[in-house]
């Protein structure tokens, strides 16, 4: 079995029926950036050997803990916790606006105790990384993850925080603060990670959500790069070196409709970003860490024939691996219908493992290098990213383009490409506009059923937060929240006082309210 | 109510879900199809939807939620329309929820439900039919 440490010219495997030797690398044909990184790519896990990631969270913390334990037993290495919408927006589960949303699109996680319980059944000695979906509450999310890892003595576990608030304003809709305040929070997290030498990414810059919102993968990648520049500019303005900041940022990109375009997007994005960093910040490509890249294998998932999503996801997994992602999670076949059932989540994990271990997808670094087809796709994708970055620059960069409405207008302009292609028959979707079958739901529904009693989840979460408030020392909580407010009113880093507030027992809602009060000052 | 003007639709996202691709696509398709569209935005309370629909003299209401809770919000909306003497405005719902919740909302009087993968053409046709029904045609 290849452990990712074979030398570039070595044959790590003959594990195929013909015993044909498969080399780690087949020479040039890749980009200049990849050539400069080649040695490092072949000697460490990461590119071309993705960690198997699960993006999961459902119901109450104990329900999620049980789910994570099952997935870890099956080989999951990286855990990105999906918080429910009230948690992502800083509403406690008993807030009026949280009604009917608690534990539905993720796990209810409003206190440090909640996150500790979510992680309570993980064997952290076998975990590569842990993170929380906290795009608009980055300081709280990072505080929760850091406390749990610190308390467990798991200093080796890397961060995979999803903490990119700028895309929320146009793509996901969980914005809370102004864009400038949001950037400050996100960069406080990266600064905290640099200052404390935390491994992994305190910030994951996402194109995926911009893509899904309508921008398409190429333009979305450019938008994500523009946002990444906003964060880096802010950190550089605070006096941090780009070479120190880059290891604490990763990128979540996606292309969901074509195996080869998917591979081209990942391998091209890595090199375009490296060139951009060299040009903008003067850090030579060879001295940069290779971009840490996360992919999420999902695509045209059907709600009518859910089991048919399995081959779709399998091919999306392969495209991501051929493109060289560092982290990969896969959609579950029933994800178009509900929070995945446990069997579907387990199958998604197994899908990644089968592609990785049984079909040689991880054996070679940059396996598509030298392909004439890929070279042309790469050139097209790279040109598209660069052209869109120029347009955003003409609007003054990511932040200014957000404020003047360019980003929203551009997404609006591009939205609906897939729907149009399907409607016009330009693109085929089996079971929908091609080979449509009246038997679909009977043949392809799988075993997925709703497993979560949401009314009970909501009652449990409300009772849990009420009991939490009763059991704490209010004076200590108020004092800690004053610390958050005071930090927000200055330029001090929000993460340390947020950690103090979490440890005192403050809820996310209270910390967000204290942050808002400080910002208002 | 006048019947010679275009069908007027009030669209809104309910709950905390901010994914607005679907509702934006439908808004565009309806506008292109000659409808008048008032999009109220994200995180809209059901009381505000009722108030807007009455103020705008809406022929149809469309609500969207991808994060679950669609059954809860649409059932509440139907109840408030009835209480507000606006029960004649049909409600079309789009998004994801469990089958029992979809049945619940349809039983409560939701005109049509559309799940993921629905064709834009079908959705626009449903709004047209609902608009005609809402006018007593």
């Amino acid at each position: 079995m290849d452990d990712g440490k074979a030398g570039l010219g070595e044959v790590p495997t003959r594990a195929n029926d013909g015993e044909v030797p498969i080399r780690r690398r087949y020479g040039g044909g890749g980009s200049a950036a990849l050539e400069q990184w080649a040695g490092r790519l072949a000697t460490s896990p990461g590119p071309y050997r993705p960690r198997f990631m699960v993006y999961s969270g459902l119901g109450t913390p104990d329900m999620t803990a049980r789910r994570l334990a099952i997935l870890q037993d099956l080989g999951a290495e990286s855990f990105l916790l999906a918080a429910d919408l009230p948690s992502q927006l800083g509403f406690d589960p008993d807030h009026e606006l949280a009604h009917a949303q608690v534990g539905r699109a993720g796990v209810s996680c409003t206190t440090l105790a909640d996150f500790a319980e979510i992680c309570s059944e993980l064997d952290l000695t076998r975990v590569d990384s842990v993170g929380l979906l906290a795009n608009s509450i980055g300081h709280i999310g990072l505080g929760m993850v850091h406390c749990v890892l610190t308390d467990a003595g798991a200093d080796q576990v890397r961060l995979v925080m999803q903490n990119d608030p700028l895309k929320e304003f146009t793509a996901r809709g969980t914005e809370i603060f102004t864009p400038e305040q949001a950037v400050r929070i996100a960069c406080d997290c990266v600064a905290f990670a640099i200052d404390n030498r935390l491994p992994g990414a305190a910030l994951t810059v996402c194109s995926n959500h911009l893509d899904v919102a309508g921008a398409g993968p190429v333009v979305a990648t450019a938008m994500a790069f523009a946002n990444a520049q906003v964060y880096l500019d802010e950190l550089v303005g605070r006096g941090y070196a780009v070479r120190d900041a880059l290891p604490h940022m990763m990128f979540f990109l996606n292309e969901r409709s074509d195996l080869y375009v998917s591979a081209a997007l990942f391998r091209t994005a890595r090199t375009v970003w490296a060139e951009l960093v060299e040009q903008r910040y003067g850090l030579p490509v060879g001295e940069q860490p290779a971009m840490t890249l996360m992919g999420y294998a999902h695509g045209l998932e059907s709600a009518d024939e859910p089991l048919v999503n399995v081959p779709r996801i399998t091919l999306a997994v392969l495209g991501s691996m051929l493109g060289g992602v560092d982290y990969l999670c896969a959609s579950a076949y029933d994800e178009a219908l509900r929070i995945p059932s446990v069997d579907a989540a387990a199958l998604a994990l197994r899908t990644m493992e089968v592609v990785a271990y049984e079909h040689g997808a991880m054996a070679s670094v940059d396996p598509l290098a030298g392909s004439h087809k890929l070279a042309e796709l790469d050139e097209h994708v790279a040109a598209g990213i660069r052209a869109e970055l120029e347009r955003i620059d003409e609007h003054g960069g990511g932040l200014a383009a957000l404020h003047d409405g360019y980003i929203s207008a551009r997404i609006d302009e591009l939205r609906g490409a897939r729907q149009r292609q399907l409607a016009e028959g330009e693109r085929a979707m089996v079971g929908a506009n091609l080979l449509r079958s009246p038997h679909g739901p009977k043949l392809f529904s799988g075993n997925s059923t709703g497993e979560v009693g949401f009314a009970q989840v909501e009652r449990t979460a409300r009772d849990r937060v009420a009991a939490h408030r009763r059991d704490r020392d209010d004076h200590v909580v108020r004092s800690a929240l004053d610390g958050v407010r005071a930090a927000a009113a200055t330029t001090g880093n929000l993460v340390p006082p947020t950690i103090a507030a979490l440890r005192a027992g403050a809820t996310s809602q209270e910390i967000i309210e204290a942050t808002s009060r400080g910002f208002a000052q | 109510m006048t019947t010679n003007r275009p069908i007027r639709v009030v669209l809104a996202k309910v709950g905390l879900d901010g994914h607005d691709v679907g509702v934006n696509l439908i808004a565009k398709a309806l506008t292109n199809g000659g409808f008048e569209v008032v999009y109220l935005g994200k995180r809209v309370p059901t009381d505000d939807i009722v108030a807007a629909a009455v103020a705008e003299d809406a022929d149809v209401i469309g609500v969207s939620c991808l994060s679950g809770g669609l059954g809860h919000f649409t059932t509440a909306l139907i109840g408030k329309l009835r209480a507000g003497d606006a029960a004649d405005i049909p409600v079309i719902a789009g998004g994801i929820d469990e089958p029992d919740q979809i049945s619940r909302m349809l039983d409560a009087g939701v005109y049509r439900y559309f799940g993921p993968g629905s064709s834009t053409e079908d959705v626009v046709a449903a709004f047209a039919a609902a608009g005609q029904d809402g006018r007593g045609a």
Side-chain angles (χ1 to χ4, degrees), chain A residues 261-280:
Chain A
V261 178
S262 174
L265 183 90
F266 287 125
R267 60 205 295 281
T268 303
R270 190 174 262 139
T271 60
V272 171
W273 171 249
E275 290 156 15
L276 190 154
V277 168
E278 181 172 279
Q279 288 160 14
R280 188 178 180 91

Side-chain angles (χ1 to χ4, degrees), chain A residues 99 101 173 337-338 412 419, chain B residues 16 28 43 67 96 98 120:
Chain A
H99 199 59
Q101 304 281 282
L337 298 169
R338 59 176 59 93
D412 278 346
Q419 199 81 6
Chain B
L16 298 176
K28 198 180 211 175
R43 306 178 204 164
S67 59
I96 296 177
E98 292 296 334
T120 311

